[in-house]
Amino acid sequence: LPTCKASPMTTSVLDSCLNFPEEEEVILRYWKEIDAFRTSISLSAGKPEYTFYDGPPFATGLPHYGHILAGTIKDTVTRYAHQTGHKVSRRFGWDCHGLPVEYEIDKALGLNSREEVLAMGIGVYNSHCRSIVQRYTREWETVVTRLGRWIDFENDYRTMDLSFMESVWWVFKTLFDKGLVYRGYKVMPYSTTCATPLSNFEAGLNYKDVTDIAVVVSFPLRDEPNVSLVAWTTTPWTLPSNLALCVNAHLNYVQVRSVADKKIYIVAEMRLTQLFPALRSKKFQQGDEARIYEVLKSFKGAELVGRMYEPLFHFYDSAERRSCAFKVIADEYVTSEAGTGIVHQAPAFGEDDYRVCVRNKIVDVIMNGERSLPCPVDANGRFVSPVSGDLQGMPVKLADAAICSLLHKMGRLVLKESHEHSYPFCWRSDTPLIYKAVPSWFVAVETIRENLIQNNKQTYWVPASVKEKRFHNWLVDAKDWAISRNRFWGTPIPLWVSEDHKEMVAIGCVAELRAKCELADGSQIPMDLSDLHRESVDSLVVASPSRSGVFLHRVDEVFDCWFESGSMPYAQLHYPFECSEKEFLKKFPADFIAEGLDQTRGWFYTLMVISTALFNKPAFKNLIVNGLVLAADGKKMSKRLKNYPDPTLVINAHGADALRLYLINSPVVKGETIKFVESGVRGVLRDVLLPWFNAFRFFTQQASRWEIKNSTGNKFTQDNDRVRKSQNIMDVWIMASLDSLVHFVHEEMRTYRLYTVVPRLVGFLGDLTNWYVRLNRSRLKGTDGEDSALTSLAVLYDVLLKMTVIMAPFTPFFAEYLYQHLRKRLLTSNTANLPEDAIGKADSVHYIMLPLAGNPKADGKVLVGMSLLQQVVELGRRAREAATISMKTPVKRVIIVCDSALTLDGLRGELESYVLEELNTWEIVLTSDVETWCSISALPNLPILAKRLGKQVRSAADAIKGLDSASLRSFSRTGSIMICVDGKLLHFSKGDLIVKSAFSGDSTRYIATSSSDGGLTVAVCTVQDDALRRQGITRDFCNRVNKLRKKRKLNIADQVDIFYAESAPLDNISTTRALACNSNLLNRARIYPVDFSSCRGQILISDKYASPGGSNNLSIALAVPAPSLAPAAKKKFAGYVALETLLATCDLSNSKIHGSLENNPFELKLGIDIFPSASSARSLGKGILAPSKPCA
């Protein structure tokens, strides 16, 4: 691997810490060096195709957490597909057209209207757009690559490329030829700033709470001028375009006289409060109505239909209009929930207004076209003729106050007040939208609606609820899709029409364009045509097929960019031009796509509509819908508010793997929201990746220790046979758990349930690090013999190696890091005959196929026993915490109470010793005598039962509280019980009852905790004596020695002498006495402390502290080993100072040292009288001095 400063990939893995972000950078360079992504693709040649579509993002902005989340999901699934034997092509795509790009250019060039663009020239304008389209592509590639995502940027597709645009033309022409395209009018959300209509999906992206002017306006009846209909509206600017009033034929209406001004109004009976605000006052009391209004008559809305009224303004008041407009019509959309029950109709500015007015022939767009629609608003949202006076040229959203002033002067303003409501804003310009009728080209979605619904049933979604509810409901109510936009930078709609729109020619490819089109001067299209944007095709004309000398011109509009993204399955392949039908069918429909919940009405919808219209098939088979990533405060992430951390800084601080795992191990992968907090990413690093690394590091340390101890000089290598034959219960358990995990991962990944897979993977890593490694530490260190250590090392190696492969799709960097180190220990004698993706030979873990589940040899008893052990240890720790007894301090006894003797049997034997060790107890007692040790009670789960039982819940609660212990213990085991409530037997299941277990033993000697279901209780003896305290002191001493070794960054092979000195010891439990009484613990830990007076070597590190329960001042020092005398020799030569000098310089290569001291000859035998270190002198020379008092 490439070198890197302080990189554990190139230096010792025994270092105590790993800089994950730096190591990921090393791995990125390694992947680049071996061209890992393309190599993986080439290695999968000939394997079944797995098709993935990547939804194209805009490159005009930097990637945010939503992109990172979706990219991580896509990368995880496609990596998994590759590692399960598929060829997975992954191309990045760019959405180059549309409003986002134009808006950036308009801002940069200071353009405020359509006319300014036309004056500049479409070609010039589009060249500016083209120049910024890929402004951030390098940044995108950097971030996406840094996240570890493997995707092809070199062979990317761009919606502005001729090949892509040509396929979009083919899609349109196919739909046109099928009769699915027509021209019509539609009231659409409209951005006056961007001068373009938006889709309903886009309009829903930016709602804000606003306060607008709301008015009630009078409309005097022609035949009764003193009686006025009253309408309420929050858009006074639409009143100049009023053509009708709409009521509900079935509602009750009243004609009332206002007591205050004697005027007579007609209003819905249920909406009098809107006309008379006093009715809403807190001071109003029943019976006060007579002081406010008088009801003259009441009638159904149907009686008002057809009645004529006086227009508000003269702008559209003509004899022609009066013959069909300014009258009352009826529709069910009018309700009594708001307003006056009478809705003013401006057909150019409301979807319902338009529909109702067309149906009632108030306007006739078929016969009279656009002239029939009163729309005095230009493309930039300003009033134009016939609106005159001060209103002309005024932006409509700023005209409300001026219109109210005019209404007041005319005596038509009945009421004016403020109204707070949610209102849509342009997602690009952040300015209020209006609703405006625009001529558009439509795809007739309503005619294929049933096919859409049926095709949706063929798809698989995670979560299914989005498919079955949100998306299904959207399809059931699907409206014809307006695919045109009155803009410039986009794929031009390839439709040439006559002036009267009676002749239309759709062009579906460049060849057809050359064949049918010519320049306006009659010359042919240049053969080097390389672009299809407006500046290249707007000037082209088509000769009329039926009228000589008549030419058809291209329509002005371009495609909605959603039409382009919905066409990407075909356009990215340049189908049907460069891609054959056979090749296309291999890649369509897609096996998998993934995007955010906001694409339900966006990309997911357009994919489905176009594929259904073309082939009557869904465009995809499987889909993961991710939820939204919100800021920590629960609000939408905002650059302006700066309420989220920069993704690049988070990756640089914690690593991409930590960020990936944080995101995909959250509810966001099943369509729910997540509040992003950086501490969560840090938590993944701390709680998952670091323990995983430490398990690997510990393995490496112990493998090195074994190699040093091994007299044959062999290196540790993989030994599958030893792993299979191991009968050790912990080995059997971890291998069975791994096999179960592999089976689970494959089952769940086949159904795309990342939200179940990732927690299970993380849980297994927890079992590996927190249970297997910890419970086997002494065994791995050789305490149970080197053969047992070798077996445990082989099992740990096998698990670590397989986990690197399993985790590769999820944490690609750290999996690679581990694999590159672990592969060195694989047997490599026959690698020449192995395939390039074989484990060990493969240059990257991402080339290797995932393991398959085997047949684990663990029986149910082992798995049940380990599950019980984990519960017991957790409960025991909680009990110790409650009693404030440190884990270093032993306890005399732990009592484990469970009503199932069979379950308790799972702990007997080998597992019992692990419980003793983990809970640091001298004895465990297993008992099923729950009646003696525990009491049990139950409470009703009222929130659940109240919904189900209603009034019976009180009786049920009493019955539950009266259950005897036998019934409750049976319920705890089975999760089911029949209870008599009010004379009837009712069934109750788990969750209906809250079972509580309480310890009923001697609380002065024990403290206990119970499982949530009350089925298991662990009681810890709290009585302490000197022997327990001495053992606690010894454990604490060993712990501090190991911490000093870690702090000094000593490796396991580094030998040191350990010295200590204490002052002010408590006689019976001093540190010296504690160490003397617990030599067995010291021997297991291979720690041999010596009195500080024997220190001869250089001190490496030291520490002083107060020993708990022992010395007030204890010093520990680690020193370089120096020759030391055995205790007997030290006593014999006491007082010979010269001997100390001799020991510091002597050569221990000989078996003995001899000479004379003060004319007295002496001889020191190596291994008997003298040793190379104080520790060996103590351990081998019987250096433990007998305690002055018995230990017991």
Side-chain angles (χ1 to χ4, degrees):
L1 288 175
T3 59
C4 175
K5 182 181 179 183
S7 166
M9 290 287 282
T10 54
T11 59
S12 174
V13 297
L14 301 180
D15 291 343
S16 60
C17 62
L18 177 70
N19 188 314
F20 284 86
E22 284 186 8
E23 198 56 50
E24 289 175 354
E25 296 281 1
V26 175
I27 291 165
L28 281 174
R29 291 196 289 275
Y30 174 64
W31 285 345
K32 186 175 182 180
E33 179 184 311
I34 65 172
D35 199 12
F37 175 45
R38 284 175 179 77
T39 302
S40 72
I41 297 294
S42 64
L43 289 174
S44 64
K47 294 181 178 180
E49 191 90 29
Y50 182 90
T51 306
F52 159 70
Y53 294 161
D54 194 28
F58 288 109
T60 51
L62 294 171
H64 53 66
Y65 286 104
H67 297 120
I68 290 171
L69 167 63
T72 300
I73 293 171
K74 296 169 186 178
D75 189 56
T76 300
V77 172
T78 52
R79 282 182 182 276
Y80 174 82
H82 170 82
Q83 288 188 260
T84 50
H86 297 88
K87 181 180 180 181
V88 190
S89 299
R90 285 156 271 181
R91 293 180 68 195
F92 206 82
W94 303 103
D95 201 342
C96 303
H97 291 143
L99 185 57
V101 181
E102 291 198 27
Y103 181 67
E104 291 293 323
I105 292 301
D106 289 349
K107 279 198 306 180
L109 301 181
L111 302 174
N112 298 307
S113 68
R114 179 179 180 84
E115 289 71 24
E116 290 177 284
V117 176
L118 294 172
M120 170 188 287
I122 294 175
V124 175
Y125 182 81
N126 279 354
S127 67
H128 284 293
C129 292
R130 186 180 282 104
S131 70
I132 71 157
V133 149
Q134 294 191 281
R135 176 192 292 168
Y136 296 117
T137 52
R138 188 176 298 276
E139 287 83 351
W140 269 84
E141 184 170 356
T142 298
V143 172
V144 170
T145 302
R146 180 62 188 85
L147 279 163
R149 186 179 176 194
W150 281 6
I151 193 162
D152 191 348
F153 279 99
E154 290 184 14
N155 188 33
D156 57 358
Y157 70 86
R158 302 185 303 172
T159 60
M160 69 177 184
D161 290 342
L162 185 143
S163 60
F164 194 98
M165 295 171 71
E166 185 175 27
S167 290
V168 172
W169 276 20
W170 171 82
V171 170
F172 175 80
K173 186 177 190 301
T174 304
L175 300 188
F176 183 85
D177 291 345
K178 287 186 173 188
L180 292 174
V181 175
Y182 70 92
R183 186 173 187 264
Y185 294 88
K186 186 174 184 179
V187 176
M188 300 177 66
Y190 189 90
S191 171
T192 56
T193 303
C194 299
T196 190
L198 305 179
S199 66
N200 286 322
F201 162 70
E202 291 171 306
L205 294 175
N206 190 18
Y207 265 82
K208 296 183 180 183
D209 291 330
V210 298
T211 300
D212 278 328
I213 294 174
V215 296
V216 175
V217 182
S218 65
F219 295 83
L221 294 169
R222 282 194 201 167
D223 55 354
E224 289 186 80
N226 63 324
V227 179
S228 295
L229 299 155
V230 286
W232 175 83
T233 181
T234 60
T235 54
W237 64 267
T238 63
L239 289 169
S241 306
N242 171 266
L243 289 189
L245 296 174
C246 191
V247 298
N248 188 314
H250 307 293
L251 287 181
N252 292 322
Y253 289 79
V254 290
Q255 186 171 306
V256 298
R257 178 186 286 112
S258 169
V259 173
D261 58 12
K262 307 302 181 185
K263 292 183 178 179
I264 300 174
Y265 302 108
I266 295 175
V267 63
E269 185 176 25
M270 296 290 291
R271 299 306 307 162
L272 283 163
T273 54
Q274 187 66 62
L275 182 60
F276 301 109
L279 297 175
R280 293 176 255 153
S281 171
K282 292 181 180 179
K283 296 179 181 180
F284 173 75
Q285 296 181 354
Q286 286 297 116
D288 289 348
E289 292 90 348
R291 294 189 295 103
I292 301 171
Y293 65 86
E294 175 189 359
V295 177
L296 302 179
K297 64 169 77 170
S298 62
F299 41 83
K300 292 291 184 182
E303 294 184 32
L304 293 171
V305 174
R307 299 196 70 177
M308 311 296 288
Y309 64 85
E310 290 295 333
L312 267 181
F313 296 95
H314 66 274
F315 306 132
Y316 292 99
D317 186 10
S318 65
E320 183 183 358
R321 288 283 186 191
R322 285 197 175 226
S323 66
C324 60
F326 307 120
K327 64 181 180 181
V328 180
I329 53 182
D331 192 82
E332 293 295 322
Y333 93 91
V334 179
T335 70
S336 60
E337 294 176 2
T340 62
I342 302 173
V343 181
H344 115 81
Q345 304 292 291
F349 303 114
E351 190 172 0
D352 285 315
D353 304 39
Y354 178 83
R355 175 181 59 80
V356 174
C357 287
V358 168
R359 192 187 68 199
N360 286 276
K361 300 190 183 306
I362 304 296
V363 293
D364 191 342
V365 292
I366 296 176
M367 290 294 295
N368 301 317
E370 210 168 333
R371 292 181 296 106
S372 180
L373 276 175
C375 185
V377 178
D378 69 8
N380 297 108
R382 296 183 176 89
F383 276 123
V384 293
S385 180
V387 170
S388 57
D390 293 339
L391 293 179
Q392 195 169 81
M394 186 180 292
V396 295
K397 289 298 288 182
L398 300 179
D400 286 348
I403 290 171
C404 287
S405 178
L406 288 173
L407 293 173
H408 180 70
K409 291 177 183 177
M410 295 157 52
R412 303 288 286 271
L413 184 64
V414 179
L415 180 68
K416 175 185 173 185
E417 56 188 358
S418 296
H419 177 67
E420 292 184 6
H421 62 147
S422 185
Y423 193 84
F425 279 64
C426 176
W427 63 286
R428 273 290 160 185
S429 63
D430 204 33
T431 54
L433 300 177
I434 64 172
Y435 282 79
K436 183 173 182 281
V438 292
S440 298
W441 292 96
F442 290 85
V443 171
V445 173
E446 293 171 37
T447 65
I448 60 170
R449 185 187 288 160
E450 194 55 42
N451 291 343
L452 290 171
I453 294 169
Q454 292 306 315
N455 285 336
N456 184 42
K457 292 178 180 178
Q458 299 176 38
T459 61
Y460 175 81
W461 294 49
V462 175
S465 58
V466 180
K467 166 192 169 180
E468 295 163 358
K469 295 179 182 178
R470 187 177 182 135
F471 194 64
H472 172 78
N473 293 341
W474 186 251
L475 294 181
V476 165
D477 196 38
K479 301 291 192 297
D480 289 352
W481 175 19
I483 60 170
S484 58
R485 293 292 180 265
N486 301 93
R487 299 302 300 177
F488 307 98
W489 177 242
T491 300
I493 292 180
L495 196 59
W496 274 255
V497 301
S498 60
E499 190 174 344
D500 57 9
H501 282 80
K502 290 183 178 178
E503 288 185 274
M504 299 185 188
V505 173
I507 303 291
C509 62
V510 173
E512 189 178 4
L513 184 76
R514 288 199 175 98
K516 293 183 178 179
C517 292
E518 59 187 58
L519 295 173
D521 61 5
S523 58
Q524 296 300 306
I525 299 172
M527 292 303 295
D528 60 350
L529 177 70
S530 59
D531 184 52
L532 292 179
H533 286 91
R534 286 193 60 175
E535 60 270 25
S536 300
V537 300
D538 277 7
S539 60
L540 303 180
V541 295
V542 173
S544 168
S546 59
R547 292 178 287 177
S548 177
V550 175
F551 290 93
L552 313 185
H553 296 268
R554 198 191 69 81
V555 298
D556 190 57
E557 296 90 345
V558 297
F559 283 113
D560 173 12
C561 59
W562 288 106
F563 188 86
E564 295 179 315
S565 60
S567 301
M568 67 78 58
Y570 331 102
Q572 69 163 343
L573 301 171
H574 198 201
Y575 176 80
F577 307 105
E578 291 184 72
C579 178
S580 69
E581 185 80 8
K582 181 179 179 181
E583 286 301 311
F584 171 70
L585 291 176
K586 291 180 182 179
K587 301 175 184 295
F588 179 86
D591 291 291
F592 169 68
I593 65 171
E595 292 295 342
L597 187 63
D598 55 347
Q599 294 298 327
T600 306
R601 298 175 181 179
W603 191 49
F604 303 155
Y605 177 70
T606 61
L607 282 174
M608 183 66 77
V609 168
I610 292 176
S611 67
T612 299
L614 290 175
F615 305 111
N616 197 20
K617 286 183 180 180
F620 52 88
K621 300 174 186 176
N622 303 288
L623 164 60
I624 294 179
V625 186
N626 64 261
L628 301 180
V629 183
L630 304 176
D633 57 7
K635 297 178 181 177
K636 187 177 179 180
M637 288 186 172
S638 166
K639 291 181 182 178
R640 179 175 55 84
L641 296 176
K642 296 181 179 178
N643 59 350
Y644 65 94
D646 185 323
T648 303
L649 297 179
V650 170
I651 294 170
N652 291 340
H654 312 295
D657 278 346
L659 178 58
R660 287 170 64 113
L661 209 54
Y662 169 74
L663 290 172
I664 60 174
N665 190 28
S666 74
V668 79
V669 294
K670 53 179 179 178
E672 300 175 17
T673 58
I674 180 180
K675 295 178 183 177
F676 184 90
V677 286
E678 188 174 354
S679 60
V681 183
R682 192 181 306 117
V684 170
L685 187 64
R686 180 190 63 239
D687 300 332
V688 181
L689 297 179
L690 275 174
W692 188 9
F693 166 71
N694 287 333
F696 161 69
R697 178 172 168 267
F698 183 71
F699 159 78
T700 305
Q701 291 172 333
Q702 299 314 315
S704 299
R705 182 204 61 78
W706 181 86
E707 290 169 348
I708 293 170
K709 284 283 186 179
N710 181 23
S711 58
T712 63
N714 291 335
K715 296 291 184 181
F716 173 84
T717 56
Q718 184 185 36
D719 190 342
N720 291 327
D721 190 53
R722 180 177 284 270
V723 172
R724 283 192 297 272
K725 291 179 179 178
S726 175
Q727 297 298 314
N728 179 275
I729 193 166
M730 296 302 296
D731 295 347
V732 171
W733 167 71
I734 197 66
M735 293 306 296
S737 297
L738 177 62
D739 196 78
S740 174
L741 174 73
V742 170
H743 178 78
F744 181 85
V745 167
H746 285 304
E747 283 293 310
E748 295 299 287
M749 284 300 289
R750 272 194 284 269
T751 53
Y752 297 88
R753 287 195 285 262
L754 292 179
Y755 61 88
T756 63
V757 173
V758 181
R760 181 74 176 265
L761 289 168
V762 171
F764 179 83
L765 288 172
D767 282 347
L768 177 66
T769 59
N770 296 330
W771 296 101
Y772 182 80
V773 172
R774 195 180 73 236
L775 269 59
N776 279 274
R777 288 185 76 85
S778 59
R779 179 172 165 236
L780 285 158
K781 288 180 177 180
T783 303
D784 297 343
E786 292 305 327
D787 188 69
S788 179
L790 181 59
T791 299
S792 188
L793 283 169
V795 170
L796 181 55
Y797 177 84
D798 193 64
V799 174
L800 286 171
L801 184 62
K802 286 178 178 174
M803 279 304 291
T804 64
V805 181
I806 295 167
M807 289 295 292
F810 306 90
T811 53
F813 290 105
F814 191 56
E816 188 74 88
Y817 170 86
L818 289 178
Y819 172 72
Q820 294 302 334
H821 285 293
L822 291 169
R823 70 185 288 210
K824 298 171 186 174
R825 296 185 178 277
L826 289 168
L827 293 173
T828 56
S829 57
N830 297 316
T831 55
N833 298 322
L834 293 176
E836 294 298 319
D837 59 358
I839 193 165
K841 184 175 183 180
D843 288 331
S844 171
V845 70
H846 301 288
Y847 301 168
I848 302 168
M849 298 300 102
L850 267 70
L852 299 175
N855 296 305
K857 60 185 176 183
D859 57 22
K861 185 178 177 181
V862 172
L863 299 177
V864 170
M866 269 306 299
S867 175
L868 183 61
L869 179 145
Q870 290 170 319
Q871 290 184 69
V872 166
V873 171
E874 294 295 343
L875 291 173
R877 287 173 181 165
R878 280 162 47 192
R880 292 180 69 111
E881 287 175 10
T884 64
I885 301 174
S886 166
M887 285 302 299
K888 299 184 190 73
T889 304
V891 294
K892 282 192 173 181
R893 185 178 299 106
V894 170
I895 300 173
I896 302 168
V897 188
C898 179
D899 60 358
S900 170
L902 185 63
T903 300
L904 287 175
D905 286 344
L907 273 184
R908 302 185 195 279
E910 285 185 77
L911 291 182
E912 195 168 348
S913 62
Y914 290 109
V915 178
L916 285 167
E917 181 71 24
E918 282 302 296
L919 291 182
N920 193 8
T921 180
W922 288 1
E923 178 189 13
I924 62 170
V925 177
L926 304 175
T927 177
S928 58
D929 186 7
V930 291
E931 296 296 339
T932 299
W933 291 99
C934 301
S935 62
I936 191 168
S937 61
L939 294 172
N941 193 340
L942 291 175
I944 291 176
L945 294 180
K947 291 180 181 178
R948 195 169 84 221
L949 301 179
K951 294 180 180 179
Q952 280 188 300
V953 71
R954 288 190 177 182
S955 300
D958 293 337
I960 289 169
K961 291 175 184 177
L963 291 171
D964 59 30
S965 60
S967 299
L968 288 175
R969 295 192 193 286
S970 174
F971 174 76
S972 293
R973 287 192 302 272
T974 64
S976 176
I977 191 172
M978 300 296 292
I979 303 175
C980 184
V981 179
D982 294 336
K984 293 182 179 179
L985 277 177
L986 299 180
H987 178 259
F988 294 83
S989 58
K990 197 171 184 179
D992 293 337
L993 278 66
I994 303 170
V995 178
K996 294 185 176 181
S997 180
F999 183 67
S1000 57
D1002 187 351
S1003 60
T1004 64
R1005 295 174 56 82
Y1006 292 93
I1007 191 166
T1009 54
S1010 299
S1011 59
S1012 58
D1013 61 2
L1016 180 66
T1017 297
V1018 177
V1020 175
C1021 180
T1022 57
V1023 178
Q1024 290 281 302
D1025 59 20
D1026 287 350
L1028 291 168
R1029 294 187 185 96
R1030 283 195 292 268
Q1031 194 175 97
I1033 291 169
T1034 304
R1035 285 181 176 272
D1036 184 67
F1037 185 92
C1038 294
N1039 182 57
R1040 291 181 183 275
V1041 168
N1042 287 328
K1043 284 183 177 179
L1044 286 175
R1045 289 183 65 96
K1046 187 176 181 180
K1047 188 175 181 180
R1048 190 61 175 78
K1049 297 183 178 180
L1050 297 175
N1051 290 329
I1052 194 168
D1054 294 332
Q1055 300 292 322
V1056 293
D1057 279 339
I1058 303 164
F1059 300 99
Y1060 75 97
E1062 65 176 330
S1063 60
L1066 298 174
D1067 183 52
N1068 203 39
I1069 53 172
S1070 68
T1071 300
T1072 300
R1073 186 166 175 74
L1075 298 177
C1077 290
N1078 292 283
S1079 57
N1080 60 324
L1081 291 179
L1082 297 173
N1083 291 336
R1084 282 177 64 87
R1086 289 184 167 82
I1087 291 175
Y1088 308 108
V1090 181
D1091 187 271
F1092 208 95
S1093 61
S1094 300
C1095 181
R1096 298 290 180 269
Q1098 176 191 352
I1099 293 177
L1100 299 171
I1101 189 171
S1102 62
D1103 187 26
K1104 288 184 179 181
Y1105 67 99
S1107 175
S1111 307
N1112 291 328
N1113 192 345
L1114 181 68
S1115 297
I1116 301 178
L1118 307 186
V1120 175
S1124 296
L1125 293 173
K1130 186 182 293 185
K1131 185 176 181 181
K1132 178 179 178 180
F1133 294 105
Y1136 289 96
V1137 178
L1139 186 60
E1140 298 292 334
T1141 304
L1142 176 64
L1143 290 176
T1145 58
C1146 68
D1147 180 11
L1148 297 185
S1149 60
N1150 297 316
S1151 61
K1152 61 178 68 176
I1153 299 173
H1154 56 85
S1156 64
L1157 290 170
E1158 299 180 4
N1159 297 319
N1160 293 316
F1162 72 91
E1163 183 178 80
L1164 301 176
K1165 293 182 179 179
L1166 187 64
I1168 298 176
D1169 302 308
I1170 189 169
F1171 293 86
S1173 68
S1175 294
S1176 57
R1178 178 199 180 285
S1179 61
L1180 302 175
K1182 309 301 181 184
I1184 299 177
L1185 298 178
S1188 56
K1189 294 183 181 180
C1191 289

